[in-house]
Amino acid sequence: MTEPVTSRLREMRWWDIDRVLELEKDLFPEDAWSRGMFWSELAHSRGPEATRRYVVAEDSEGRVVGYAGLAASGDLGDIQTIAVTREQWGTGLGGRLLAELLRAATAFECAEVMLECRIDNIRAQKLYERFGFEAIGFRRGYYQPGNVDALVMRLTTQSDSGSAAGPTSERETEIHG
């Protein structure tokens, strides 16, 4: 396991897009999002009618080392993206980003949270499973141009508390993220 590095989560802003794109292209070279896609998502993340929550993680030197985004529509949340630099894999940062998106889903009053994950991304699938997501299907050829299938996963919020499920403690997130 990699040593935990303290990083700060904050709202993603337009001036983060270039740094996020660098990471996006490094981690997802075949199906990286475009600048326009991030601009469009951020346009829906502010104000009283916001339907999106995007965050970045910065290390102590101000470098973007991760980012994540959620879209909400009615009582359904959709995790749009989560990415962490390779140097941060195993530090718990992915879990922290996911937990932040699930807090946003609760604030948006989402009864369910959905996501698609590359079928070959076992690391991400295990993270989602720790937070209570369950596989419910596939989308054939979802990731293009590589024609890679997506595993569709769903999390139903806890009926007793009205909040999204997740690891039972911050420590669990730090150990496994």
Side-chain angles (χ1 to χ4, degrees):
M1 175 179 277
T2 306
E3 277 297 309
V5 175
T6 304
S7 55
R8 178 176 76 99
L9 301 185
R10 64 168 177 79
E11 180 180 1
M12 185 188 294
R13 302 299 300 270
W14 65 267
W15 53 80
D16 295 312
I17 292 176
D18 285 341
R19 295 186 298 167
V20 166
L21 282 173
E22 289 175 21
L23 184 52
E24 178 83 3
K25 289 174 185 172
D26 178 51
L27 294 172
F28 312 112
E30 288 187 349
D31 49 11
W33 282 23
S34 69
R35 180 180 316 279
M37 291 170 77
F38 280 107
W39 271 102
S40 178
E41 290 296 294
L42 291 182
H44 298 284
S45 68
R46 301 194 44 92
E49 303 298 319
T51 58
R52 306 289 194 274
R53 172 77 169 139
Y54 276 77
V55 295
V56 293
E58 289 183 328
D59 67 10
S60 60
E61 298 172 5
R63 293 181 313 128
V64 171
V65 293
Y67 57 92
L70 171 95
S73 178
D75 65 352
L76 180 64
D78 189 26
I79 299 214
Q80 301 290 297
T81 187
I82 295 181
V84 174
T85 62
R86 286 179 179 86
E87 296 79 27
Q88 293 287 319
W89 288 1
T91 66
L93 182 55
R96 287 181 57 211
L97 288 164
L98 181 55
E100 178 60 30
L101 295 184
L102 294 177
R103 280 190 286 277
T106 298
F108 284 126
E109 299 180 355
C110 297
E112 291 183 322
V113 179
M114 306 285 292
L115 62 84
E116 290 88 14
C117 179
R118 286 177 64 106
I119 197 71
D120 57 359
N121 190 344
I122 304 303
R123 174 184 295 273
Q125 291 172 36
K126 288 182 178 185
L127 171 66
Y128 300 136
E129 288 169 357
R130 280 196 310 274
F131 276 76
F133 282 85
E134 296 178 339
I136 60 167
F138 297 93
R139 296 187 194 271
R140 301 283 179 216
Y142 183 78
Y143 292 99
Q144 294 296 328
N147 201 36
V148 177
D149 295 344
L151 178 64
V152 180
M153 301 182 84
R154 175 179 60 206
L155 173 70
T156 303
T157 60
Q158 296 175 351
S159 58
D160 59 343
S161 69
S163 63
T168 58
S169 71
E170 186 66 25
R171 178 74 180 139
E172 184 176 340
T173 300
E174 287 302 317
I175 291 171
H176 298 292

